[in-house]
Amino acid sequence: MQWEIVIGFETHVQLDTRSKMFSGAATAFGAEPNTQACAIDLALPGVLPVGNRAAVECAIRFGLAVGANIAPRSVFARKNYFYPDLPKGYQISQFETPVVAGGGLAIAWQPDGEGAAQERFVRLTRAHLEEDAGKSLHEDFHGMSGIDLNRAGMALLEIVTEPDMRSAKEAVAYARALHGLVVWLGICDGNMQEGSFRCDANVSVRPLGQAQYGTRCEIKNLNSFRFLERAIDYEARRQIELIEDGGRVVQETRLYDPDRDETRSMRSKEEAHDYRYFPDPDLPPLVIEPQWIERVRAAMPELPADMQRRFVGQYGLGAYDATTLTASRAVATYYEAVLDALAGSAVAGRDSLAALAKSAANWVMGELAAALNRDDLAPGDCPVAPAQLARLIERIHDGTISGKIARDVFAAMWAEPSAEADAADRIIDARGLRQISDSGELDAIVAQVIEANPKSVEEFRAGREKAFNALVGQVMKATKGKANPQQVNELLRRRLG
């Protein structure tokens, strides 16, 4: 039997506010346990919560970015449940009327990691404001657990999707797109290790072609994209094997164990009525006037989706390249700074904008991204400035160096940061890396290689193209990689013709 995986998401985005959702307590990460929890966070007698205006503005900004409806009037409710790290015995959240409803997010991904990209529009059900719970600590307590309430009351935006995704790779593409968007908008720092962006994946399976959904299981608190993909793949296999063996999937909450690469049962899944929601009597309805929405809209940056369309239309990039470059606002800004520098270069008048834009995209998504990941650096801390990378790309396009040598130059620029705009030129000259483009000098070397490799010449003339590549390699070896590859090809074919 063929099976279809059905995936929906609930994502808790910790809003980047200086104070908590309903109190003035600080939100800085890493403070000593229980030093940032005030009387309101603890629900001590006689205290009253007050809504955080900055958190509401974050919700408005997100709603505008995803094309959602922003409720002119929404209500805070008490969600009742009992955890050791929930001091009130309830969580202030939103239930029947969320602040944001509808909208969606366009995603693109490569199913096999290469080739043509696939695209989908993931529908959003809602996004509602709520407060976070505290945190249970289970380490270094001599067999006991401790409770840290610093996180209690932190402002969260819980974003819920429709069950629109059909594979783990697709789900990761959505999570990355959402992560990039909330960081882009400045409403979340996106630090997954610190719990600022936490994903819960609802996974079910059904026979291919069946309209009815299967029983879903929720995988809680996935805080890395790699673990997210592995957890979904494992859970889907588990459910399929269970059903095919005659068993039945039980709706429950599960945790992912990365060491064993498996999900395990945590608790049975609660339904809404188990939480006994009712309107919080201490908080009035949240009223958002149209003028407030328009003020937020006026301050919005260019959105990733708009920038993607502009990159495709203005620079001729493909959908996948445009999506990748706009996954981060910092990367998109760096990329456009490289293009601005290339626009004022000598090669701009000779080579098309599309060719330069594609070269810049390949470098930013390739060598630059790899170096940033390797050294765990943000684009803003990159030791190679956009203008310096543009100069390096210019030297490839004007034939000064080959793409292979350019990678060596980039590595040197990275290892020896400089403020000089012509850092690439300095390294090229200091190391004698300029390509040999003199046709007379190259023709003589080509003639020597042909004379020294009669077997390869004979094989090429017999129709074996690989023999030609071997001859090219011998020329490049003789010139220590400094020959212009295009000229080498032309001269070799002319002599062998």
Side-chain angles (χ1 to χ4, degrees):
M1 180 180 292
Q2 288 186 302
W3 295 89
E4 181 178 54
I5 306 171
V6 179
I7 306 162
F9 264 87
E10 299 170 15
T11 306
H12 290 89
V13 173
Q14 184 174 300
L15 300 177
D16 196 10
T17 57
R18 288 181 294 177
S19 58
K20 295 185 178 180
M21 186 66 226
F22 299 108
S23 79
T27 59
F29 181 81
E32 286 295 313
N34 299 307
T35 58
Q36 294 183 171
C38 70
I40 294 175
D41 305 324
L42 303 179
L44 296 182
V47 299
L48 288 173
V50 177
N52 186 327
R53 183 180 181 87
V56 177
E57 289 206 351
C58 289
I60 296 172
R61 205 176 307 164
F62 177 78
L64 291 173
V66 298
N69 296 316
I70 298 168
R73 185 179 184 276
S74 58
V75 176
F76 287 105
R78 291 188 181 181
K79 181 181 181 182
N80 297 274
Y81 60 99
F82 301 96
Y83 284 169
D85 52 15
L86 190 69
K88 300 175 181 176
Y90 62 86
Q91 176 188 29
I92 301 177
S93 182
Q94 292 185 311
F95 180 49
E96 292 181 348
T97 309
V99 64
V100 173
L105 197 60
I107 62 172
W109 75 99
Q110 293 174 303
D112 301 317
E114 57 186 21
Q118 292 191 15
E119 300 177 50
R120 185 187 294 277
F121 185 78
V122 178
R123 296 169 298 158
L124 300 182
T125 308
R126 58 188 283 148
H128 59 263
L129 288 163
E130 64 183 22
E131 61 178 348
D132 207 348
K135 185 177 182 180
S136 297
L137 305 175
H138 305 293
E139 300 174 1
D140 301 325
F141 283 95
H142 307 289
M144 297 182 291
S145 292
I147 303 296
D148 179 10
L149 296 176
N150 282 348
R151 203 171 69 183
M154 288 280 202
L156 299 179
L157 186 67
E158 182 174 350
I159 302 163
V160 183
T161 76
E162 294 292 313
D164 285 349
M165 289 155 278
R166 297 293 180 266
S167 73
K169 287 190 180 297
E170 190 176 342
V172 171
Y174 164 78
R176 287 187 181 277
L178 182 62
H179 181 271
L181 177 61
V182 296
V183 174
W184 187 293
L185 294 171
I187 66 175
C188 175
D189 63 20
N191 194 318
M192 299 180 76
Q193 289 71 35
E194 295 178 2
S196 298
F197 187 89
R198 311 193 296 270
C199 297
D200 301 341
N202 288 298
V203 180
S204 65
V205 298
R206 63 183 177 185
L208 190 64
Q210 176 178 297
Q212 182 180 354
Y213 293 125
T215 302
R216 72 181 187 275
C217 290
E218 182 183 35
I219 312 172
K220 290 288 287 185
N221 293 338
L222 296 163
N223 64 353
S224 89
F225 299 124
R226 183 166 60 95
F227 291 163
L228 172 63
E229 182 172 357
R230 287 166 54 182
I232 292 173
D233 278 336
Y234 174 86
E235 179 60 22
R237 289 196 306 270
R238 184 190 73 84
Q239 292 185 22
I240 291 170
E241 291 171 4
L242 180 63
I243 296 170
E244 289 183 342
D245 288 343
R248 183 174 63 88
V249 177
V250 178
Q251 185 173 343
E252 62 182 350
T253 299
R254 300 179 69 85
L255 290 177
Y256 175 67
D257 184 340
D259 296 327
R260 296 186 176 184
D261 190 25
E262 65 181 20
T263 64
R264 63 174 186 266
S265 182
M266 179 183 176
R267 61 176 181 267
S268 62
K269 178 62 180 174
E270 304 90 342
E271 297 292 349
H273 61 265
D274 293 330
Y275 290 119
R276 294 178 291 111
Y277 282 98
F278 63 88
D280 192 302
D282 293 335
L283 284 164
L286 173 60
V287 177
I288 300 176
E289 300 286 351
Q291 297 89 334
W292 191 3
I293 296 174
E294 292 310 312
R295 285 197 301 271
V296 174
R297 191 194 306 274
M300 293 271 285
E302 183 181 17
L303 297 175
D306 296 331
M307 188 174 282
Q308 288 164 23
R309 286 189 288 270
R310 181 165 63 80
F311 280 9
V312 172
Q314 184 176 344
Y315 303 138
L317 294 180
Y320 180 77
D321 287 357
T323 301
T324 303
L325 289 167
T326 54
S328 159
R329 191 173 177 183
V331 170
T333 300
Y334 185 100
Y335 173 70
E336 289 221 274
V338 173
L339 285 186
D340 287 344
L342 281 171
S345 69
V347 296
R350 188 189 66 193
D351 295 347
S352 68
L353 176 60
L356 293 174
K358 180 59 178 173
S359 292
N362 289 342
W363 273 92
V364 171
M365 296 188 301
E367 294 294 319
L368 184 81
L372 289 172
N373 289 336
R374 182 192 66 224
D375 295 347
D376 195 23
L377 291 175
D381 300 322
C382 178
V384 177
Q388 293 174 325
L389 181 58
R391 181 66 63 90
L392 180 62
I393 295 170
E394 184 183 352
R395 291 296 167 259
I396 301 171
H397 278 257
D398 67 14
T400 301
I401 57 174
S402 66
K404 182 177 183 300
I405 291 176
R407 287 192 286 274
D408 297 333
V409 176
F410 178 83
M413 292 166 65
W414 191 277
E416 305 166 14
S418 167
E420 302 169 359
D422 61 349
D425 290 333
R426 178 175 52 78
I427 293 170
I428 291 168
D429 291 335
R431 302 189 181 189
L433 298 175
R434 289 182 179 271
Q435 284 189 145
I436 300 172
S437 297
D438 182 274
S439 58
E441 182 181 356
L442 276 179
D443 196 40
I445 296 171
V446 166
Q448 293 171 9
V449 168
I450 289 175
E451 185 178 352
N453 295 273
K455 185 178 179 181
S456 294
V457 172
E458 184 180 341
E459 288 177 353
F460 170 71
R461 286 177 171 155
R464 299 176 186 172
E465 191 66 24
K466 285 184 178 179
F468 182 83
N469 296 333
L471 290 169
V472 172
Q474 289 298 317
V475 176
M476 298 306 291
K477 181 179 179 181
T479 60
K480 297 181 180 179
K482 293 191 288 184
N484 185 313
Q486 185 177 353
Q487 282 186 281
V488 170
N489 274 265
E490 292 172 356
L491 290 170
L492 264 173
R493 290 194 183 278
R494 187 184 306 158
R495 279 189 168 271
L496 295 171

